[in-house]
């Protein structure tokens, strides 16, 4: 994805009180950060943060972490938090390839992946956030009953993800190839920025929920 650099974004992210600043020494102490022991849900590749902010507003009994690797994107979510802060949400500006550095084994109850970059070339398949390599990382940080939720409008990426889930020995708990026409799976659905854009173009939205 090509991104325009935004002047001042690096500094704004580095100094924002809404961003957890990377601790390379040890996983973060989430109980201390949130000042409670509520369950932790994480969105990887959160973009501008609309989905996560809506979730955090609706579910004050859950703690949320949004991961986005580009400051030029994260700055948009930070601006929204400055306008309407939420005590149960923090952001991290890191690459999800290093997840195990930030979360201890079993720390996370749920992982959300929404409209993840498709990386269409075969030689980049390992970079897809639903590859077997990433599922191994999620396996480490998820709690035993933890779940993964994935939405996309990209059919090839969805099919690839179903294969990865099978290959990694995970269980498919739910699956739809047209989320917005599936009353059960669409119940309480919160649209992401990309979801709104692609569904407005008439693209069906695919969703799966998986666990080990
Ligand atoms: N989830 C949002 C939505 O549905 O509107 C944004 C989708 S956008 C296509 C994917 C986002 O994931 C981008 O902002 C990208 O920078 C981020 N991303 C992709 N790979 C990542 C990684 N390895 N670590 C952290 N963020 C990543």
């Amino acid at each position: 994805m090509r991104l325009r650099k935004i002047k001042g974004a690096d500094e704004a992210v580095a100094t924002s009180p809404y961003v957890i600043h990377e601790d390379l020494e040890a996983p973060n102490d989430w109980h201390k950060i949130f000042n409670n022991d509520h369950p932790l849900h994480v969105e990887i590749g959160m973009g501008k943060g609309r989905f996560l902010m809506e979730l955090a507003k609706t579910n004050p009994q859950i703690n949320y972490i949004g991961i986005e690797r580009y400051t030029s994107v994260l700055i948009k979510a930070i601006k929204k938090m400055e306008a309407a802060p939420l005590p149960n949400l923090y952001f991290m500006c890191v690459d999800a390839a290093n997840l195990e550095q930030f979360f201890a084994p079993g720390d996370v109850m749920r992982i959300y992946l929404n409209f993840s970059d498709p990386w269409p070339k075969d030689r980049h398949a390992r970079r897809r956030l639903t590859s077997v390599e990433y599922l191994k990382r999620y396996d480490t940080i998820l709690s035993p009953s933890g779940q993964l939720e994935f939405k996309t409008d990209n059919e090839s990426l969805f099919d690839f993800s179903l294969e990865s889930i099978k290959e990694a020995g995970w269980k498919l708990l739910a699956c739809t190839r047209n989320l917005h026409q599936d009353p059960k799976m669409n119940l309480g659905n919160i649209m992401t920025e990309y979801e709104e854009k692609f569904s407005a173009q008439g693209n069906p939205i695919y969703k799966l929920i998986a666990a080990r």
Side-chain angles (χ1 to χ4, degrees):
M1 188 172 55
R2 279 181 63 208
L3 281 175
R4 205 161 41 88
K5 236 180 137 37
I6 294 185
K7 209 169 154 230
D10 289 357
E11 205 200 332
V13 168
T15 55
S16 171
Y18 304 115
V19 177
I20 308 275
H21 299 288
E22 204 170 331
D23 181 352
L24 296 174
E25 301 297 315
N28 291 290
D29 182 344
W30 301 109
H31 295 176
K32 208 157 115 193
I33 287 169
F34 287 101
N35 204 19
N36 61 44
D37 59 0
H38 297 171
L40 188 64
H41 293 188
V42 176
E43 184 185 8
I44 301 174
M46 54 167 273
K48 298 176 194 165
R50 160 160 13 123
F51 169 83
L52 211 50
M53 295 185 80
E54 199 57 42
L55 268 185
K57 216 188 303 165
T58 319
N59 302 291
Q61 75 293 357
I62 311 264
N63 294 330
Y64 292 93
I65 294 290
I67 293 183
E68 170 51 56
R69 77 175 148 189
Y70 293 117
T71 58
S72 51
V73 181
L74 187 54
I75 185 76
K76 308 251 169 67
I78 291 175
K79 292 242 162 75
K80 289 187 212 161
M81 274 284 267
E82 284 168 355
L86 290 158
N88 58 333
L89 171 61
Y90 283 97
F91 306 127
M92 292 180 78
C93 194
V94 293
D95 186 337
N98 304 317
L99 275 181
E100 293 125 300
Q101 271 174 244
F102 317 118
F103 300 94
D107 261 357
V108 180
M109 278 293 292
R110 192 174 301 168
I111 294 175
Y112 293 102
L113 304 173
N114 291 317
F115 298 81
S116 309
D117 296 336
W119 292 105
K121 291 188 180 137
D122 282 348
R123 68 172 192 277
H124 292 146
R126 292 161 70 93
R127 298 185 193 175
R128 297 175 193 149
L129 293 182
T130 51
S131 63
V132 169
E133 287 75 14
Y134 270 95
L135 290 177
K136 280 190 193 132
R137 297 181 178 117
Y138 307 152
D139 185 30
T140 305
I141 66 165
L142 273 176
S143 66
S145 60
Q147 295 187 355
L148 175 71
E149 296 201 6
F150 171 54
K151 290 196 278 190
T152 184
D153 72 317
N154 186 312
E155 188 176 19
S156 314
L157 180 63
F158 193 71
D159 289 339
F160 168 86
S161 308
L162 290 173
E163 279 303 310
S164 301
I165 279 162
K166 208 187 314 163
E167 197 183 324
W170 286 47
K171 292 189 283 274
L172 191 62
L173 303 181
C175 177
T176 176
R177 289 181 176 266
N178 197 341
L179 176 64
H180 297 171
Q181 298 302 321
D182 183 321
K184 199 164 159 217
M185 284 191 77
N186 200 40
L187 194 71
N189 182 51
I190 295 174
M191 290 233 242
T192 77
E193 277 96 352
Y194 272 67
E195 182 170 356
E196 194 159 273
K197 186 168 127 193
F198 292 129
S199 57
Q201 290 169 7
N203 298 8
I205 305 301
Y206 301 74
K207 178 172 179 176
L208 66 81
I209 304 177
R212 288 98 86 222

